[in-house]
Amino acid sequence: MSFFKIIITTKTLSAMEVNKEAILSKTHYGLNIYAYVLRQYYSGETEPGDSHTLNGEIRNSGQTVLSLSGRDCKPTKNPFNAGKPTLWVKVVDNCAVHTDGEKAIEDGNVFDFAALHFKLSGKELLDKLNEVLHLQIGEKNGFYNQDEVIFTELEPEIVKPKAPVFSYYKKPVTNVVPTKEITLIEVYNLIQGNEYASSTSTLRSIQDEKEARKYKAFNFDYVTFSGAFSKRNDKHLKKHSGLLTIDFDHLSNISEIKEELLKDNYFETELLFTSPSGDGLKWIIPMELTKVKHQDYFKAVANYIQHTYNLEVDGSGKDISRACFLPHDPNVFINPKYL
């Protein structure tokens, strides 16, 4: 459960200044400013200043502009990158900031983004935002020199989503009894750390394919991302994790494919890392088990990947107890919602 504290303070209107802190306090950390700017490019005529939050979305005139998950927004169109859905917005230290997945614009905060649209800076920009968003900062309300009541929303207690749990096995791969259950975050830390750096480097130096396969089988710990087992066999599944492993082998353009997968319109990446061999990718995505069986879901995803990216998927992913070796990858990606 999240908790919000409201502190009521008073400040003489005549003494209030149009500054960044005042603007942020009246625009949901600046998210409403992003919404206003984006709406100028993508929804036609709207009334300025009517942005509001509803069910985790920033809306303007009833239309969703930014969709929030915690204090992050899902990628949205960037008007300064030909409308591509590469713009990521999140709240850091009570100020909305952005980054573009293709680096079309420099990383910055909401005021930098607004400056790109209004082509203003400094006090002129702040005054413009106060005007178009009808913030009324510094204005007197009524005949008397009244005090304004400012409701300051403190940073809420953010409840992170519970990381999926599955089985972890110590080497070699012939060991089918799990050592323990482990979370996605723990695996992320293992892959990013140095525990598997030496074995990964050694494997990639072995030229003979058969010898490399043998070395991998005996020198790498592994997990079963799709579930927790009493023994690594589909019949001994204790609980499905809701995760699916998609394995890509023998890729010549790993970095490009990695970027494409991270921007996929249909599947949210939970974990993505380079395979032990160094020429493949392991893509971990969520799956909806209430509507379809594991094997059928895998087939559908494999078919989608074939038609969308013209890539073949390793068929072993259809097995719930499929083993996935843990390599060293300092650039492993994990869904930011877990961090």
Side-chain angles (χ1 to χ4, degrees), residues 115-134:
L116 293 174
H117 171 66
F118 291 108
K119 294 180 172 56
L120 297 172
S121 61
K123 190 174 185 303
E124 287 184 319
L125 175 63
L126 301 184
D127 289 339
K128 186 67 173 179
L129 292 173
N130 189 32
E131 173 191 347
V132 299
L133 292 171
H134 298 306

Side-chain angles (χ1 to χ4, degrees), residues 96-154:
V97 299
H98 66 265
T99 184
D100 184 89
E102 294 184 349
K103 301 300 179 183
I105 59 176
E106 292 185 6
D107 295 353
N109 61 32
V110 62
F111 299 104
D112 300 320
F113 191 77
L116 293 174
H117 171 66
F118 291 108
K119 294 180 172 56
L120 297 172
S121 61
K123 190 174 185 303
E124 287 184 319
L125 175 63
L126 301 184
D127 289 339
K128 186 67 173 179
L129 292 173
N130 189 32
E131 173 191 347
V132 299
L133 292 171
H134 298 306
L135 303 180
Q136 298 182 317
I137 300 173
E139 299 179 12
K140 294 182 180 180
N141 296 324
F143 181 78
Y144 299 101
N145 186 23
Q146 302 172 4
D147 285 344
E148 183 181 60
V149 178
I150 306 170
F151 291 85
T152 304
E153 184 182 9
L154 299 184

Side-chain angles (χ1 to χ4, degrees), residues 4 28-29 31 68-73 89-95 153-156 158:
F4 292 82
H28 200 72
Y29 311 113
L31 290 176
L68 288 90
S69 175
R71 291 166 71 82
D72 294 356
C73 295
V89 178
K90 62 181 179 180
V91 177
V92 177
D93 294 332
N94 292 329
C95 180
E153 184 182 9
L154 299 184
E155 185 170 349
I158 303 300

Side-chain angles (χ1 to χ4, degrees), residues 176-306:
V176 295
V177 178
T179 303
K180 61 180 179 179
E181 292 184 1
I182 194 171
T183 68
L184 200 66
I185 297 174
E186 290 175 299
V187 166
Y188 165 76
N189 290 329
L190 283 172
I191 294 174
Q192 189 181 51
N194 294 318
E195 185 166 346
Y196 304 122
S198 177
S199 55
T200 300
S201 177
T202 300
L203 173 65
R204 294 175 183 178
S205 68
I206 300 175
Q207 300 299 315
D208 184 80
E209 185 175 340
K210 184 179 293 186
E211 285 299 316
R213 189 161 51 245
K214 180 180 179 181
Y215 180 86
K216 181 170 63 174
F218 283 89
N219 292 276
F220 284 84
D221 297 340
Y222 69 96
V223 296
T224 47
F225 277 116
S226 289
F229 296 81
S230 56
K231 183 179 180 181
R232 188 167 68 83
N233 184 292
D234 284 8
K235 296 180 180 179
H236 292 88
L237 174 68
K238 295 196 298 182
K239 185 178 181 181
H240 201 290
S241 67
L243 297 176
L244 182 68
T245 302
I246 302 298
D247 199 345
F248 301 96
D249 295 322
H250 310 303
L251 302 176
S252 59
N253 52 344
I254 287 182
S255 59
E256 293 178 16
I257 294 175
K258 187 174 182 178
E259 289 300 317
E260 289 296 317
L261 294 176
L262 289 174
K263 294 185 293 184
D264 189 270
N265 292 324
Y266 296 99
F267 297 102
E268 183 178 17
T269 300
E270 297 289 76
L271 196 70
L272 179 62
F273 57 94
T274 302
S275 63
S277 62
D279 66 350
L281 286 171
K282 310 290 184 180
W283 191 33
I284 316 302
I285 60 175
M287 61 184 302
E288 181 55 68
L289 288 171
T290 60
K291 298 179 180 180
V292 66
K293 294 181 179 179
H294 179 105
Q295 289 78 7
D296 293 332
Y297 196 91
F298 172 82
K299 292 176 182 177
V301 173
N303 185 57
Y304 164 78
I305 291 172
Q306 171 64 43

